[in-house]
Amino acid sequence: MTAPESRRRFALTWPLGAAALGLAAALSAGAASAQLRLPGAPAAAPVPPTAPATPAASTSSAPRQADYIVALVNSEPITNNEARARLARIEREIAQQGMRPPPPEELARLVLERLISERAQLQLARESGIRVDDALVDAAEQDVARQNQFSVATLHRALAQEGISIAAFRQDLRNQILLSRLREREIPPRVRVSESEVDQFLREQQAQAAVSTEVNLAHILVAVPEDAPASLVAQLRDKAQEVQRRARAGEDFSALARTFSDAAGAADTGGVIGLRSADRLPPLFVDAAKDLRTGAVSEVLRSGAGFHVLKLLERGTASAPGTSVLQHRARHILLRPGPGLTEAQARERLDGLRQQLMTGQVDFPTLAREHSQDGSARNGGDLGWAGPGVFVPEFEEVLQSLRPGQVSEPVASRFGLHLIQLVERRQQALSAAELRERARAQLRERKQEEAYVEWAQEVRGRAFVEFREPPLR
């Protein structure tokens, strides 16, 4: 039996060592990576971080200065236009994240050093015999398109609007995969986690749980559009204050949330967030809940999203972090677009299957056995119990939003289109062995970034680098 495709992760991103550069997420392409939004893409649709630049990687339609070599890495040139293109890209990412950039000269130096480090790593990957075939680049290109809810053709048009050639974009994807494979080979063997480190980690978690509490809050959001005029902000504040007044007067908070809240899922949950520890709540909510008694309603709070009204439903003692996990049991039907099936046709077919389910004409397992192109089809699409991080992010995000028994709209992932049904969910305690393995994995993840920085410095140190004049500008 082949593994269900929803469980196979394909990573295009990796830690680029922001610590080594002295910048935070703007120069990192790992878990906290900056994201590029292509023209016409939905606001929430991410694109994998931009890849290491090549001399052809930027084809901006803007006027370009005469090019020249700014550095040689083992006799391979880095050009001024290439460095300027990467600098402009990083400056956009910093601005999008609202960060304060370093002084221009310092940022330019850091960007050039990043290019040098990447070029040395790419050379090492090629020397090590690592290859990336066209089929894998095709899959990566389709992945980018799906994450933006684009077809590949639409993605190509969006890239053209950005002044980026298809050949350069595909080369960037190839370089990303190449570097990812190199780092996957080089970094893990450098990381060791001892039993004593696991013991200490578990003791720290238990100590943290002994002094922490959980709160169950209900929440109403009155959203404020970005750049809303002062008159509209005042109207929305009045609306939030009226909701708060009615809640304090004893009206059912869940009914108010379903009627007035702009928060995602409020219509289904009545605004109930559920028991959560402080580290899983916004600091604004944590501070407001400190002084509330059970059943009390907060003042109207303001954040970048809008105005919030909270009600404290209960307090509880937190369990040790990581001692249990929320698991989901799900079924799915997977269709893979290809030469004989376009993405539009696959979506239309899944819409038809969903309609059959909604009208009770047939059950989900029967449809999965007949139509799904995943290895789980023989089991009626059943994926079994799974905890966080098992499924690909786009699949897991939708799964978490479903109620037991509910069937999703067609969901695009890197593997195709899915129809997902949540069967049930549960909070599952971990065994002692599972706790230790989970702690070991968390410690390994912490250490891998440090190991990467050391390894990247070693690769950079072995490279012969010649800086040319005039300097980057």
Side-chain angles (χ1 to χ4, degrees), residues 100-169:
R100 176 175 297 178
E105 297 80 4
E106 177 68 7
L107 181 59
R109 184 189 66 79
L110 293 171
V111 168
L112 180 56
E113 273 298 322
R114 172 50 28 197
L115 285 171
I116 291 169
S117 181
E118 288 173 3
R119 191 61 51 84
Q121 291 176 32
L122 283 168
Q123 293 169 354
L124 177 60
R126 290 191 289 266
E127 292 167 2
S128 301
I130 300 175
R131 298 290 182 267
V132 176
D133 59 29
D134 289 340
L136 196 54
V137 178
D138 291 342
E141 186 175 47
Q142 292 166 8
D143 183 26
V144 174
R146 284 175 182 152
Q147 289 185 51
N148 281 277
Q149 302 176 27
F150 283 167
S151 66
V152 172
T154 303
L155 172 65
H156 289 172
R157 289 194 294 270
L159 291 169
Q161 292 174 13
E162 288 285 291
I164 301 172
S165 73
I166 296 172
F169 178 71

Side-chain angles (χ1 to χ4, degrees), residues 297-324:
V297 176
S298 72
E299 300 292 337
V300 174
L301 311 173
R302 177 69 196 269
S303 77
F307 298 102
H308 309 263
V309 179
L310 304 176
K311 181 176 182 178
L312 178 62
L313 302 179
E314 62 178 314
R315 294 187 189 272
T317 301
S319 58
T323 57
S324 65

Side-chain angles (χ1 to χ4, degrees), residues 332-361:
H332 81 143
I333 297 170
L334 172 68
L335 296 183
R336 307 171 193 267
L341 182 69
T342 67
E343 187 161 330
Q345 290 171 336
R347 187 177 295 276
E348 184 178 0
R349 185 179 299 177
L350 288 178
D351 280 331
L353 297 180
R354 185 174 187 272
Q355 185 60 33
Q356 293 182 47
L357 291 168
M358 300 299 288
T359 56
Q361 299 177 37

Side-chain angles (χ1 to χ4, degrees), residues 23 136 217 378 380 409:
L23 289 176
L136 196 54
L217 296 172
R378 67 189 66 185
E409 302 282 347

Side-chain angles (χ1 to χ4, degrees), residues 429-449:
L430 299 176
S431 67
E434 289 171 330
L435 284 173
R436 291 190 68 82
E437 188 56 36
R438 189 180 179 91
R440 192 186 312 278
Q442 290 174 300
L443 287 169
R444 285 186 63 85
E445 186 175 349
R446 288 182 185 179
K447 288 188 170 187
Q448 280 194 355
E449 175 63 19

Side-chain angles (χ1 to χ4, degrees), residues 9 35 45 59 72 96 143 179 189 214 280 319 325 331 370 390 419 438:
R9 287 189 178 276
Q35 295 175 341
T59 58
L72 292 172
Q96 288 169 1
D143 183 26
L179 286 175
E214 292 178 326
R280 298 177 58 209
S319 58
V325 293
R331 302 185 183 108
E370 293 176 354
V390 173
L419 208 59
R438 189 180 179 91

